[in-house]
Amino acid sequence: MRLRRRVIQAGLVVVGLSLLAAPVTAQSVNRAAIDDLNEQLLYVALPLTLFVELTLVYVIYRFRNNDDPKPTVDDPALEVTWTAATGAILVFVGVSAFVVMANPYITPAAAEASADGDDAFTNDTEIDVLAYQWGWEFAYGEANVTTEERLVLPADKNVTFRLRTTDVIHAIYIPQLGVKQDIFPGRTMTARTHATEPGEYRLYCAEMCGAGHSKMDATVVVKNQSGYDAWMENQTTAAG
Ligand code: CUA
């Protein structure tokens, strides 16, 4: 009886601690979708882990002096139950993950392909990203503005990245905005985001691309619309 109470107490402590780890607000739509999925899966995984581990501890304790163990007899009802329960959990995990994968911010190529030849993202701010050994160049749509190692984005707007590489395979990776996409030679890849929090973030190359790979990073600056416009104006006059 005392053991049971301890086990229940331990379980409550674990659940309490997991609730304390309150999620911070996501910095982009992509990031929010990924964080939500993580949280959903955590709420499934946590009780399961607790159930399995506590059962294990209980069984070790309960049968520690059993010198004559007997094998379990067939129990079709039990077997059907655990097979069905496992199946249901796998379907839940699969469907949750698929919904996020199908999100047009996470997998924009799929959204574009299903748009029947129309440009699905016409109203997005378009930025051409050029990766090379070893650095990044960003060109801003119609505006005749190009930056190196510094990517400036408007907040609360859809942004489409057209990604190209001049040499080998690179990968754009902005963890805090939930953006990650391999860039293959000879192809234009697409990535997309919608940043919600102005601030500074890190951009990395996430594909081993030679001796300078570790130095192939950039700063991402998310500005609110007026800040972005002012910056763009500044860049244009500086260039002209
Ligand atoms: Cu480019 Cu690693």
Side-chain angles (χ1 to χ4, degrees):
M1 231 40 221
R2 230 167 75 210
L3 174 75
R4 194 139 143 226
R5 206 186 306 151
R6 289 253 169 84
V7 167
I8 291 171
Q9 278 169 353
L12 286 177
V13 167
V14 174
V15 172
L17 285 177
S18 72
L19 290 178
L20 271 182
V24 277
T25 29
Q27 297 92 339
S28 76
V29 172
N30 317 34
R31 189 60 213 224
I34 295 168
D35 287 352
D36 284 352
L37 175 64
N38 261 334
E39 208 174 306
Q40 248 178 53
L41 297 186
L42 184 70
Y43 283 130
V44 176
L46 198 69
L48 280 177
T49 310
L50 276 178
F51 173 71
V52 172
E53 294 305 319
L54 293 180
T55 308
L56 181 68
V57 170
Y58 170 76
V59 168
I60 290 172
Y61 182 81
R62 170 82 170 73
F63 300 103
R64 67 192 184 288
N65 292 325
N66 188 355
D67 295 329
D68 184 24
K70 299 270 187 305
T72 315
V73 241
D74 271 354
D75 191 339
L78 183 65
E79 283 166 30
V80 167
T81 308
W82 78 47
T83 306
T86 310
I89 291 164
L90 289 179
V91 168
F92 172 79
V93 170
V95 170
S96 315
F98 184 80
V99 168
V100 175
M101 292 290 284
N103 183 314
Y105 292 97
I106 306 285
T107 314
E112 267 188 322
S114 62
D116 286 333
D118 302 337
D119 187 350
F121 310 134
T122 350
N123 297 322
D124 289 18
T125 299
E126 199 161 302
I127 298 177
D128 290 312
V129 178
L130 191 65
Y132 57 91
Q133 282 173 319
W134 287 279
W136 299 95
E137 194 184 283
F138 308 101
Y140 300 78
E142 253 81 294
N144 193 14
V145 170
T146 306
T147 57
E148 299 261 339
E149 328 304 341
R150 193 173 167 86
L151 169 64
V152 182
L153 301 179
D156 299 315
K157 286 203 84 172
N158 289 329
V159 176
T160 298
F161 301 110
R162 299 295 177 194
L163 309 152
R164 284 179 306 119
T165 163
T166 56
D167 36 56
V168 300
I169 303 176
H170 300 275
I172 188 172
Y173 181 36
I174 315 170
Q176 286 164 302
L177 299 184
V179 172
K180 195 174 193 189
Q181 176 61 56
D182 281 354
I183 312 170
F184 303 108
R187 287 173 64 182
T188 301
M189 314 297 295
T190 306
R192 227 178 150 225
T193 192
H194 182 122
T196 47
E197 293 285 314
E200 277 200 23
Y201 308 108
R202 299 301 300 157
L203 182 155
Y204 306 92
C205 176
E207 189 66 60
M208 181 59 192
C209 56
H213 163 69
S214 64
K215 292 197 195 85
M216 196 172 157
D217 58 356
T219 306
V220 181
V221 185
V222 176
K223 292 175 181 287
N224 58 28
Q225 192 63 51
S226 59
Y228 180 78
D229 292 341
W231 173 82
M232 190 58 87
E233 182 82 6
N234 222 334
Q235 295 295 114
T236 327
T237 42

